[in-house]
Amino acid sequence: MAGRATTVGVIGGGSWGTALAIHCARRGHDTVVWARGAATVEAINSRHENTEYLKGHPCPPSLRASNDLAEVITRSELLLMVVPTQYIIHTLGEAAKLLQPHQILVSCSKGISLDSLETVAELLEERVVPPEFRPRLAYLSGPSFAAEVAAGLPTAVTVAAKDEELAARVQALLSTPRFRCYRSTDVVGVELGGALKNVLAIACGISDGMGFGNNSRAALITRGLYEITKLAVARGAHPLTMSGLAGMGDLVLTCTGDLSRNRTVGLRLGRGERLEDIQASMGGAVAEGVPTAVAIRRLASKMGVEVPIMEGIHAVIHLGANAQKVVTDVMSRELKAEVAPDIIRGVLASSSGSGSVHGSYASLPGAGAEASTAAAAAAPHGDSAVATSSSTSLGPAGLPPKPPKQVQLAATAAASGNGVTAGEGAGAARSPEDGERWRLLAAAATGAAAAAVVVWVLGRWRHA
């Protein structure tokens, strides 16, 4: 099935579902979109446009709409589920029993269940699809405004599946020169990156609506990404996923783009409108960040992860807290290192596991599951002394050269926290596992630096 035209069913006739249906039809797939509303179905079939949710973007004549969910499921080899998270179980329900072993179901929804704190993947696997169908699940996420995909503007996203071969098949079926898919096996990271960023988009909108400026937005994005990474890693995600399309990419787009529903809600809140009035005026469109703010607060509390920015956003959105006071409270907390020392020590001191990037996070000491978040944060900078070894030669064959100054700082912190002197650390031969950790930290530091540059450039561009 990979690469060739096939039958596609899109479950969900909102803006994103319609945009994906338009894309698939243009790609040459025989595509039908399921929509609940009769008016939406009629508009797509007769006027070739979803005038309710994606006005101004014509649908290919070959695209058809239906309100018969069973028909859409049974006719399609590839199914794209584009339903708000809180309605997945209600929408699929009994219809999921119609799924056949040859089909693939790709979730294109982003969010966390309010009731159970489950991700979409957990909902589908545990409560929706038959057990034998679980290996046929994939997940699509990344920076992708519906209107721009419908318009055919260049877009890049991530497709995740536990089976890389399945991810590659979906990747081939959906990719075009205007819609490039990358693949991943980190389902947890891709899912949580897409879900958690919506809350920060509301925060950035509130900040912009109150006139807090570019500095505030950059701080929210950067420190918010740190909090997202801590939560995601605590749930089993790989930290570097948070510096990719499903993490940083989606976060930057949603926090700065004028087409973002979540940012728009924040803008209006920042200008003094009531949440109830904003939601009533959205014509049925859903800003997932509103319910997700509740879920994140509960999830962080359950897992013992400190997320002061997310806590503050929840207070503003759902408790009516004064945004100015919340900002003051967050900015007035106890001063601390940008990356907690125990997290740095945990990442660098871990020598157990398989030596692979994924395996090295299985048993980090000190901070438990949260310890590995250092890999998604900027390299630390502070008062620690840099290791003074003058050796600049390569290590054993195949190992990378001595890491840059910022990473040496982290190594010094790790050594001092584990009873090893800087001189001993510099003189000892490094194992392949050590080399893997150096590469991981260097890549993570580069990603964090890139995030800061992107935020700065976007701020300058918006006011050019």
Side-chain angles (χ1 to χ4, degrees):
M1 185 167 66
R4 65 176 174 82
T6 188
T7 51
V8 174
V10 179
I11 304 173
S15 59
W16 184 218
T18 303
L20 287 172
I22 290 173
H23 165 72
C24 289
R26 278 199 304 243
R27 170 73 168 71
H29 298 310
D30 179 7
T31 306
V32 176
V33 56
W34 173 83
R36 188 181 302 277
T40 300
V41 171
E42 191 277 333
I44 293 174
N45 287 337
S46 63
R47 285 172 273 176
H48 304 295
E49 181 180 340
N50 187 337
T51 53
E52 186 173 4
Y53 293 110
L54 200 61
K55 191 173 183 178
H57 294 278
C59 300
S62 61
L63 176 61
R64 183 169 63 86
S66 171
N67 55 17
D68 186 341
L69 182 56
E71 182 228 345
V72 172
I73 290 177
T74 54
R75 69 171 296 279
S76 305
E77 288 190 74
L78 178 67
L79 289 160
L80 307 183
M81 185 195 71
V82 199
V83 177
T85 305
Q86 313 308 323
Y87 301 101
I88 288 174
I89 294 177
H90 175 74
T91 300
L92 290 183
E94 292 296 311
K97 296 178 181 178
L98 299 172
L99 293 168
Q100 298 298 312
H102 70 279
Q103 295 175 300
I104 299 174
L105 176 62
V106 183
S107 167
C108 307
S109 304
K110 303 173 183 178
I112 299 175
S113 169
L114 278 177
D115 297 331
S116 61
L117 301 183
E118 294 170 295
T119 63
V120 174
E122 291 166 335
L123 284 173
L124 289 176
E125 291 184 10
E126 302 300 326
R127 303 169 62 182
V128 178
V129 305
E132 61 273 16
F133 193 81
R134 292 171 186 169
R136 309 296 293 173
L137 294 171
Y139 306 86
L140 185 148
S141 191
S144 47
F145 284 148
E148 294 188 3
V149 171
L153 299 180
T155 300
V157 298
T158 299
V159 173
K162 294 178 181 178
D163 177 5
E164 186 167 9
E165 183 179 348
L166 182 72
R169 293 179 71 182
V170 176
Q171 178 185 37
L173 284 168
L174 294 181
S175 289
T176 71
R178 292 281 176 161
F179 192 85
R180 181 174 176 83
C181 298
Y182 291 85
R183 66 179 179 268
S184 170
T185 56
D186 184 10
V187 170
V188 176
V190 169
E191 281 265 277
L192 288 175
L196 303 182
K197 54 87 184 178
N198 285 324
V199 182
L200 280 172
I202 295 177
C204 287
I206 293 172
S207 176
D208 290 347
M210 299 186 72
F212 283 167
N214 295 323
N215 292 353
S216 297
R217 188 193 309 119
L220 279 170
I221 293 174
T222 307
R223 294 303 298 174
L225 178 60
Y226 184 65
E227 293 187 8
I228 286 175
T229 303
K230 286 200 295 183
L231 272 172
V233 170
R235 287 293 297 269
H238 192 285
L240 288 186
T241 300
M242 296 302 106
S243 66
L245 289 167
M248 184 179 74
D250 210 356
L251 177 65
V252 171
L253 176 74
T254 312
C255 289
T256 61
D258 292 332
L259 294 176
S260 167
R261 286 196 298 264
N262 289 284
R263 181 173 178 272
T264 298
V265 168
L267 278 169
R268 295 175 65 178
L269 285 170
R271 292 166 181 163
E273 295 186 54
R274 295 170 61 247
L275 179 61
E276 294 79 6
D277 296 335
I278 297 170
Q279 291 178 309
S281 69
M282 293 177 66
V286 177
E288 285 277 12
V290 175
T292 303
V294 178
I296 287 180
R297 182 172 181 267
R298 292 176 54 203
L299 182 63
S301 175
K302 178 181 178 180
M303 306 196 72
V305 178
E306 184 184 14
V307 286
I309 293 176
M310 296 293 191
E311 288 275 2
I313 300 165
H314 174 271
V316 172
I317 296 174
H318 294 287
L319 303 179
N322 181 276
Q324 291 276 11
K325 184 179 185 305
V326 168
V327 169
T328 300
D329 290 344
V330 171
M331 296 285 283
S332 301
R333 293 177 302 120
E334 177 187 359
L335 299 177
K336 57 184 68 178
E338 184 170 14
V339 181
D342 60 335
I343 294 178
I344 298 169
R345 287 195 295 270
V347 173
L348 293 178
S350 174
S351 58
S352 60
S354 65
S356 69
V357 173
H358 286 274
S360 64
Y361 288 88
S363 56
L364 296 177
E370 292 177 65
S372 54
T373 55
H381 53 84
D383 299 327
S384 301
V386 181
T388 57
S389 170
S390 60
S391 172
T392 58
S393 62
L394 291 173
L399 290 182
K402 183 160 68 171
K405 178 177 178 180
Q406 291 91 335
V407 179
Q408 291 181 49
L409 287 168
T412 303
S416 63
N418 289 277
V420 181
T421 66
E424 291 170 341
R430 281 177 280 141
S431 68
E433 288 81 3
D434 293 330
E436 190 67 59
R437 284 193 292 276
W438 288 126
R439 287 189 289 272
L440 180 61
L441 279 175
T446 301
V453 171
V454 168
V455 170
W456 179 81
V457 169
L458 282 170
R460 295 292 296 267
W461 172 76
R462 288 174 64 85
H463 290 83

